[in-house]
Amino acid sequence: MSKPRLQAPRGTRDFYPEDLRRRDWLFAHFREVARRFGFEEVDAPLVEHAELFIRKAGEEIVDQLYHFTLHERHLALRPEFTPSLARLVMARAGSLRLPLRWFGIPQCWRYERTTRGRRREHYQWNMDVWGEPSVTAEAELIAAVFSLLDRLGLAPGDVRMRVSSRAWLEELLHDRYLAEHPEAFAPLCVVIDKLDKIGPEAVVEQLSDRDGPVGLDPGAAKEAVELLGLRDLEEAARLAPEGSTAVADLRRLFELLDAYGVAERVEFDASVVRGLAYYTGTVFEAFDAGGQLRAICGGGRYDRLLESLGGSPMPAVGFGFGDAVVGELLAEKDLLPEPARGLDDVVFAFGEAERPAAVRLATRLRGEGRSVELVLGSVRLKRALADADRAGAARLLMLGPDELARGVAKARDLATGEERDEPLPG
Ligand code: HAM
């Protein structure tokens, strides 16, 4: 028999206690920001019917699915949370009070090529607003991202948010091409999202591939790629058709971001299109200012997802914010804390005769809400003391025959070394 492989699968993590304390620290910030913005937490199964995630626009996320067939059911580990959210919304669509503000911190699985900050599992803080068509929702979500980054101790200049609009791109390409092929827009976005990775020539080639899902003529494909170079909203507005709602939305969004006090940290960048097929309007991504890492978070408006899954139309917008990329950035800036264990007391009995009293004392202290480690088995005092010190406990409570006779335990303050008597429970 071959030896079992004892390391965690590549791209996945084990969480030792200190890792989990740090993860809890980050999640507590996610939850606190969501709470302050009035969002409610939800969750869904890690395993879903695979078809929930399978779309036909050529997205990477579909190729990276962890999926399997069990008892003739095709199932998949969720690569993202948004389709599950859509399922939750759809099941109660008639009875939900809109707009809905939901957040979650799901673990997501993607069979990626692993690099720095890119893993095969990650936890993803999601905040989504359902049932609100106006950019007031986008503004609120982008403000929440900055609120989180500030809480983590990052400086305002450390992370930039880039914003664009698929609706703007769609307006520009409409007359030239999309009027006759509206179904080509989603795959077109998926292809141009690869610009950074495969370069402009390859993107033009894929867009104009006659046998591909887009099939633009090469001239139009080149023009589409050129549009992505725009960084100035006024120029983007000039190119757009008169009365463009996409441009009006982008302008309004920047005005609102100004009111939130974060407009300086956000820029228009036409190269942001996002790689998921379902986005329809505003799209945004946050990056470290040094440009070393993959996106810290990404999101956008997906007003037609519910319909595409068979539900009635409902506007929606949200973002996903991974734990791994921001973890890399925080480590680089030396901002990752080492949260203490929070152990209050260690209770130590010198011998078996004192153990029942030690148990009663530990039980009383636990009842008072203190975190208490009871020394198990027979251990020497020196070892118990060193362990308590290493664990960061506040006190060591010692119980020997003398203390038992006096009805007390000797409580040593491990920071100062001071000792005093702690009465035993009666
Ligand atoms: P996404 O851009 O695929 O969007 O992922 C969002 C974020 O999750 C990324 O910016 C990154 O921080 C993190 N992430 C994704 N894949 C990995 C990975 N392999 N390793 C580490 N971190 C990763 C979505 O998933 C959308 N569902 C977000 C959304 C919510 N849009 C609307 N609502």
Side-chain angles (χ1 to χ4, degrees), residues 11 13 55 61 64 79-83 85 108-130 141 274-276 278-279 284-286 294-302 316-326:
R13 293 167 290 181
R55 297 173 291 256
I61 199 168
Q64 295 167 339
E80 56 159 340
F81 197 40
T82 315
L85 264 188
C108 299
W109 292 80
R110 300 181 189 184
Y111 198 81
E112 296 244 22
R113 267 193 334 124
T114 55
T115 55
R116 190 169 166 221
R118 187 185 296 267
R119 327 195 53 88
R120 293 194 175 154
E121 54 72 26
H122 68 284
Y123 285 87
Q124 198 190 82
W125 177 43
N126 279 249
M127 282 180 75
D128 290 83
V129 177
W130 287 80
L141 291 167
R274 311 261 309 128
L276 299 168
Y278 49 65
Y279 293 113
F284 52 91
E285 280 180 339
R294 66 166 287 168
I296 294 172
C297 82
R301 180 165 282 282
Y302 49 101
V317 54
F319 67 78
F321 184 117
D323 65 336
V325 189
V326 81

Side-chain angles (χ1 to χ4, degrees), residues 13 15 23 29 31 34 47 56 70 81 110 122 143 148 158 162 165 171 302 331 336 351:
R13 293 167 290 181
F15 289 90
R23 189 177 93 184
H29 283 300
R31 290 202 165 91
V47 176
K56 293 188 190 71
L70 196 65
F81 197 40
R110 300 181 189 184
H122 68 284
L148 186 273
D158 286 344
R162 300 184 195 149
S165 164
E171 281 175 356
Y302 49 101
L336 274 181

Side-chain angles (χ1 to χ4, degrees), residues 76-294:
L77 303 190
R78 61 184 168 206
E80 56 159 340
F81 197 40
T82 315
S84 301
L85 264 188
R87 198 172 56 64
L88 263 67
V89 170
M90 206 181 335
R92 292 204 179 164
S95 60
L96 295 167
R97 188 184 138 253
L98 302 177
L100 200 66
R101 297 168 172 88
W102 279 354
F103 84 98
I105 315 178
Q107 190 183 30
C108 299
W109 292 80
R110 300 181 189 184
Y111 198 81
E112 296 244 22
R113 267 193 334 124
T114 55
T115 55
R116 190 169 166 221
R118 187 185 296 267
R119 327 195 53 88
R120 293 194 175 154
E121 54 72 26
H122 68 284
Y123 285 87
Q124 198 190 82
W125 177 43
N126 279 249
M127 282 180 75
D128 290 83
V129 177
W130 287 80
E132 176 50 58
S134 77
V135 288
T136 53
E138 276 91 328
E140 184 86 340
L141 291 167
I142 291 173
V145 170
F146 284 118
S147 171
L148 186 273
L149 295 169
D150 293 347
R151 288 184 69 88
L152 298 180
L154 288 160
D158 286 344
V159 176
R160 308 278 310 158
M161 182 79 76
R162 300 184 195 149
V163 178
S164 186
S165 164
R166 279 197 186 180
W168 167 78
L169 195 61
E170 197 170 11
E171 281 175 356
L172 288 189
L173 298 176
H174 183 269
D175 291 349
R176 303 230 15 212
Y177 176 71
L178 290 172
E180 279 149 48
H181 306 280
E183 74 292 344
F185 186 60
L188 176 142
C189 291
V190 171
V191 171
I192 58 185
D193 182 63
K194 299 185 206 156
L195 186 66
D196 273 354
K197 215 190 265 172
I198 63 175
E201 285 85 26
V203 168
V204 169
E205 206 170 292
Q206 289 192 17
L207 288 179
S208 50
D209 176 0
R210 284 276 153 227
D211 302 323
V214 188
L216 277 186
D217 77 73
K222 233 172 143 192
E223 260 177 54
V225 170
E226 270 159 21
L227 283 175
L228 306 179
L230 287 178
R231 298 289 179 272
D232 178 15
L233 181 53
E234 289 320 306
E235 189 144 345
R238 224 170 26 74
L239 295 175
E242 196 149 336
S244 155
T245 49
V247 167
D249 278 350
L250 281 168
R251 286 213 172 103
R252 181 82 185 122
L253 176 59
F254 276 95
E255 275 166 30
L256 290 167
L257 292 173
D258 191 44
Y260 282 100
V262 298
E264 295 292 302
R265 299 154 80 174
V266 185
E267 62 211 43
F268 172 76
D269 183 336
S271 72
V272 175
V273 282
R274 311 261 309 128
L276 299 168
Y278 49 65
Y279 293 113
T280 53
T282 318
V283 276
F284 52 91
E285 280 180 339
F287 289 89
D288 63 300
Q292 300 298 307
L293 303 166
R294 66 166 287 168

